[in-house]
């Protein structure tokens, strides 16, 4: 379940190879995608590998985990903007192939229902990529979110707003709400890969390693997934118990 790599770049090379093979064997793959700085080297490596191998990306479908409520797609900190900048535009993926929840719609409850439905209509996710928040959140499913949740609106925790404030000019501009795929939808993906890199993720990874299944630690439910891989670099693994590192 836990795999330790020397650096974020070695994770990126390995994971992009996994994605490449998946799309080669099924050009109609449905990918669940994540945002965040952890994902940047992964998307960069994937785009390089896809281009050099002439991978056909024209039939894939993608669904992102989440979006801030109140940020228009063109806002530099919206997740739509992140995905266009770091993945879709450089990879040549059309907007018709991609879906993100909309943080700007009038009827947000209806948007949640439709997003869930759209994932199901696509046949579910073949693989879901995840980062992790320092409080254990996945997507924007904050501690205490029921494991049975589907796409819903969340009130962001102070911890998450503080962490994500580094991307905003003024930390008060971080939205207070977001729309996120639920834990049930994440768990329905055929395969899940969670990535954590950097010493600032060491504490949460040690907690994840030792904890039982607990709604206060949203990522802990992944331990029940049949096809879960957790890729961490040495910095994020630095607080794992010694026996864990030997066992891994
Ligand atoms: C945000 C996203 C998560 C992501 C997390 C970690 O809160 N909603 O999906 O996993 O940030 O981001 P980073 O990779 O920048 O540490």
């Amino acid at each position: 379940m836990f795999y330790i790599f020397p650096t974020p770049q070695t994770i990126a090379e390995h994971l992009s190879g996994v994605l490449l093979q998946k799309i080669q064997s099924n050009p109609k793959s449905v990918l669940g995608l994540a945002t965040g700085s952890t994902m940047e080297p992964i998307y960069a490596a994937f785009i390089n590998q896809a281009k050099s191998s002439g991978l056909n990306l024209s039939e894939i479908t993608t669904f992102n985990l989440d979006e801030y409520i109140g940020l228009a797609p063109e806002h530099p900190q919206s997740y739509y903007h992140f995905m266009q900048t770091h993945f879709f535009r450089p990879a040549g993926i059309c907007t018709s192939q991609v879906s993100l929840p909309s943080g700007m719609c009038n009827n947000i409850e209806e948007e949640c229902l439709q997003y869930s439905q759209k994932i199901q209509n696509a046949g579910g996710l073949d693989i879901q990529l995840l980062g992790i928040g320092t409080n254990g959140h996945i997507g924007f499913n904050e501690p205490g979110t029921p494991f049975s949740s589907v796409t819903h609106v969340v009130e962001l925790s102070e911890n998450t707003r503080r962490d994500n404030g580094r991307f905003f000019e003024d930390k008060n501009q971080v939205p207070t709400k977001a729309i996120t795929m639920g834990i049930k939808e994440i768990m329905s993906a055929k395969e899940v890969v969670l990535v954590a890199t950097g010493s600032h993720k060491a504490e949460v990874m040690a907690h994840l390693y030792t904890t039982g299944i607990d709604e206060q630690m949203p990522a802990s439910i992944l331990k029940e997934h049949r096809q879960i891989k957790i890729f961490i670099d040495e910095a994020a693994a630095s607080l794992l118990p010694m026996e864990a590192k030997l066992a891994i």
Side-chain angles (χ1 to χ4, degrees):
M1 185 186 291
F2 284 75
Y3 300 83
I4 301 180
F5 291 74
T7 60
Q9 192 54 32
T10 49
I11 296 179
E13 297 295 339
H14 177 78
L15 182 50
S16 58
V18 170
L19 293 172
L20 191 106
Q21 278 180 7
K22 192 162 275 302
I23 297 168
Q24 272 168 343
S25 63
N26 175 15
K28 295 185 193 297
S29 290
V30 181
L31 310 181
L33 301 176
T35 50
S37 44
T38 311
M39 293 296 137
E40 290 180 25
I42 297 165
Y43 295 148
F46 177 75
I47 291 160
N48 273 339
Q49 288 188 20
K51 288 204 165 141
S52 58
S53 64
L55 184 68
N56 171 21
L57 292 171
S58 68
E59 292 182 283
I60 64 164
T61 305
T62 74
F63 288 92
N64 263 80
L65 283 168
D66 45 17
E67 181 58 283
Y68 289 112
I69 290 181
L71 298 192
E74 54 278 8
H75 189 288
Q77 302 314 331
S78 78
Y79 284 168
Y80 183 87
H81 189 275
F82 175 99
M83 292 307 297
Q84 284 294 349
T85 307
H86 295 285
F87 194 6
F88 301 147
R89 202 178 305 122
I93 296 172
C94 303
T95 48
S96 58
Q97 295 171 257
V98 310
S99 293
L100 284 92
S102 165
M104 290 298 281
C105 53
N106 292 330
N107 187 341
I108 208 90
E109 297 304 329
E110 184 59 27
E111 170 69 11
C112 293
L113 283 173
Q114 282 182 10
Y115 200 69
S116 280
Q117 196 57 54
K118 205 170 172 188
I119 297 170
Q120 282 180 37
N121 293 348
L125 306 164
D126 290 314
I127 185 166
Q128 176 65 57
L129 304 186
L130 294 176
I132 187 168
T134 57
N135 62 0
H137 74 233
I138 49 176
F140 266 135
N141 292 286
E142 297 281 30
T145 305
F147 288 148
S148 58
S149 61
V150 291
T151 303
H152 63 289
V153 173
V154 290
E155 192 84 38
L156 297 175
S157 68
E158 272 315 302
N159 182 89
T160 298
R161 293 189 68 235
R162 197 172 47 244
D163 282 355
N164 292 2
R166 69 189 193 279
F167 298 112
F168 291 76
E169 270 175 33
D170 172 356
K171 288 182 195 269
N172 294 321
Q173 289 171 351
V174 183
T176 55
K177 288 184 179 177
I179 179 166
T180 183
M181 210 186 269
I183 294 182
K184 190 170 169 201
E185 285 145 342
I186 294 170
M187 287 296 283
S188 300
K190 294 187 186 80
E191 202 177 327
V192 180
V193 180
L194 182 145
V195 183
T197 56
S199 54
H200 61 302
K201 296 288 172 74
E203 236 170 82
V204 72
M205 294 317 290
H207 184 187
L208 177 60
Y209 188 86
T210 49
T211 185
I213 311 294
D214 178 359
E215 284 184 349
Q216 291 306 319
M217 166 45 106
S220 65
I221 190 65
L222 299 171
K223 294 181 174 188
E224 291 199 337
H225 197 285
R226 282 207 259 162
Q227 291 290 339
I228 170 72
K229 290 195 170 79
I230 299 176
F231 292 164
I232 52 179
D233 71 347
E234 278 173 6
S238 59
L239 295 179
L240 291 190
M242 188 49 81
E243 73 273 12
K245 292 192 213 167
L246 293 175
I248 292 166

